[in-house]
Amino acid sequence: MSWQHPIPRITEEERQQRLSRLRQLLDAHRLAGMLLGPTESLRYFTGLVWHASERFLGALVTPTALYYIVPGFERSRVETLPHLPAEILEWQEEESSAALIARTLGNSGILALDDNMPLYFYNALATELGAERLTDGGLLINGLRRIKSPAEIALIQYAMNLTLDVHKQAHALLKPGIRASDVVAFIDQRHREAGAHGGSTFCIVSFGEATSLPHGADGDQTLGEDDVILVDTGARIDGYHSDLTRTYKLKAGDSAFEDAWAIEREAQQAVFDAAKLGAACSSLDDAARAVLAKYALGPDYKLPGLPHRAGHGLGLDIHEEPYIARGNAMALAPGMCFSNEPMIVLPQKFGIRLEDHIHMTADGPCWFTQPSKGPTEPFA
């Protein structure tokens, strides 16, 4: 494919810089450490990828050291995986991983916790350390993660380009009579062939009235001659997500759909135009709703109209800060990446979601992918 080039990488040096910034924050907040669970934050800071289970595996970051907390029988597996070098502390099946963390941390100091830590493990730590020695580490972690580095933005751009190309291939495949499940399988296969590990991370293919359900309908569907088509899909490259939605028809001539499509595109552009450095995230959501209100849609979350926030942040998690939602006073800053998808829902008729993503630069907003061209031309 013409857009392909070597996949950008997050270097060990960049991960060390992330750890250094985290340690500075621990120092500034007088915290004894940060405990990372088997979450995307573990990958972000150390490069180690692990999936949650009843056995805790994670990392303890202190102002001066990094330790991996690992079930004894998993040590050999961990040693084969990419990760920053650090001491591995083992716990055995009859032992408590929480007790091991408590011994390593010592008898004093506050431990900040990864905000995606399972509740059962919080309870185990509270038993060992006391709840008064535990605090939410989400503000510190997310404050770092929501500002993307050039390498992260390059990875997201690569993933978005890949998925946009897959969207184009799916569009060329669509003909009346095709089943949604066949389109989903096609998209997954094309993602795999293009180098996305695990294929599609998700894929929604909706036809007709089912497009009015933001996350799709249960069961399979068959494309009718004059159906609205909504395709929302994404994949991951080195952990970083793509997420793109296109809504269109195969033939022109449906004025109700085309008029609604134009309003949706106007709302999407209003979000982009409102994305000024320093602007509150809520003001972007406000901008989308103002367009819809002009056409007697809404107000607020009422239907017909926009039933959800106008966008979400994206990175190692497909939904993360910043959230483009009412009430969110967070100011936009360079390095933030987020979706722009102020969907219009007309119940029992159809829905239209045009989703492209934005990253903030020192000069303002920049599209990862160019918005749709028209109601029967989903690509710029």
Side-chain angles (χ1 to χ4, degrees):
M1 300 173 191
S2 60
W3 54 264
Q4 281 189 316
H5 52 81
I7 297 174
R9 297 294 180 190
I10 305 299
T11 64
E12 183 172 311
E13 179 183 11
E14 180 165 332
R15 294 199 196 280
Q16 292 285 11
Q17 290 169 353
R18 295 171 180 178
L19 271 180
S20 177
R21 288 194 289 271
L22 178 58
R23 287 191 174 114
Q24 290 169 12
L25 288 172
L26 294 177
D27 231 10
H29 289 82
R30 300 181 179 178
L31 295 168
M34 173 73 74
L35 186 65
L36 304 172
T39 68
E40 294 303 332
S41 291
L42 179 67
R43 182 201 294 246
Y44 179 82
F45 289 106
T46 73
L48 180 61
V49 178
W50 200 263
H51 300 290
S53 77
E54 76 281 8
R55 296 181 178 95
F56 181 80
L57 188 149
L60 175 63
V61 182
T62 75
T64 58
L66 169 66
Y67 304 98
Y68 294 105
I69 311 298
V70 175
F73 76 98
E74 297 283 22
R75 178 175 186 141
S76 57
R77 169 66 175 152
V78 169
E79 288 174 338
T80 69
L81 297 173
H83 62 277
L84 291 182
E87 184 177 356
I88 295 177
L89 304 180
E90 298 179 20
W91 61 278
Q92 301 304 332
E93 293 283 62
E94 76 280 10
E95 296 176 331
S96 164
S97 54
L100 172 59
I101 292 163
R103 290 195 302 272
T104 306
L105 193 68
N107 294 325
S108 63
I110 303 297
L111 177 63
L113 302 181
D114 186 335
D115 56 336
N116 282 314
M117 191 79 69
L119 178 60
Y120 78 86
F121 199 66
Y122 171 87
N123 290 334
L125 287 166
T127 298
E128 294 291 338
L129 290 167
E132 69 279 2
R133 290 188 61 193
L134 302 176
T135 193
D136 182 3
L139 287 175
L140 301 187
I141 290 173
N142 295 323
L144 295 174
R145 283 185 51 182
R146 69 173 169 257
I147 304 299
K148 304 299 189 287
S149 70
E152 289 179 287
I153 289 171
L155 271 166
I156 296 170
Q157 184 69 72
Y158 188 102
M160 292 291 186
N161 290 349
L162 185 157
T163 292
L164 181 62
D165 190 82
V166 171
H167 260 286
K168 291 176 180 178
Q169 294 178 61
H171 174 253
L173 177 77
L174 286 164
K175 299 290 186 294
I178 196 168
R179 293 187 307 169
S181 58
D182 291 335
V183 182
V184 170
F186 175 87
I187 288 171
D188 181 71
Q189 184 61 31
R190 290 297 181 268
H191 269 138
R192 291 175 189 275
E193 291 172 357
H197 178 70
S200 302
T201 50
F202 71 98
C203 187
I204 299 167
V205 176
S206 298
F207 302 144
E209 186 179 324
T211 61
S212 67
L213 302 173
H215 286 157
D218 289 337
D220 208 353
Q221 303 158 57
T222 300
L223 180 60
E225 189 76 31
D226 197 38
D227 279 348
V228 176
I229 299 162
L230 186 152
V231 180
D232 181 359
T233 189
R236 297 182 88 177
I237 295 293
D238 199 19
Y240 287 83
H241 286 271
S242 61
D243 182 9
L244 286 169
T245 310
R246 292 292 182 266
T247 307
Y248 49 87
K249 280 194 160 191
L250 297 180
K251 297 188 303 182
D254 183 338
S255 59
F257 171 73
E258 290 169 4
D259 289 348
W261 193 99
I263 297 169
E264 164 72 359
R265 179 67 192 93
E266 185 179 340
Q268 190 192 35
Q269 188 62 42
V271 172
F272 182 87
D273 293 342
K276 310 295 186 186
L277 291 172
C281 290
S282 60
S283 67
L284 281 63
D285 188 270
D286 292 342
R289 293 183 198 280
V291 170
L292 270 59
K294 186 170 66 173
Y295 297 97
L297 295 169
D300 304 319
Y301 299 100
K302 293 179 182 177
L303 300 182
L306 169 55
H308 53 64
R309 65 195 175 207
H312 59 82
L314 170 138
L316 287 171
D317 285 301
I318 196 164
H319 291 172
E320 61 179 48
E321 292 184 0
Y323 293 103
I324 307 305
R326 176 174 289 179
N328 185 5
M330 184 179 292
L332 295 181
M336 289 184 176
C337 301
F338 51 90
S339 72
N340 180 352
E341 48 177 321
M343 182 179 191
I344 295 177
V345 171
L346 287 81
Q348 286 78 56
K349 294 180 181 178
F350 56 81
I352 304 173
R353 181 164 67 248
L354 302 177
E355 179 186 15
D356 295 277
H357 286 243
I358 293 167
H359 62 96
M360 299 301 296
T361 74
D363 298 317
C366 182
W367 294 108
F368 277 108
T369 50
Q370 289 301 306
S372 298
K373 185 176 180 181
T376 59
E377 297 178 276
F379 310 108

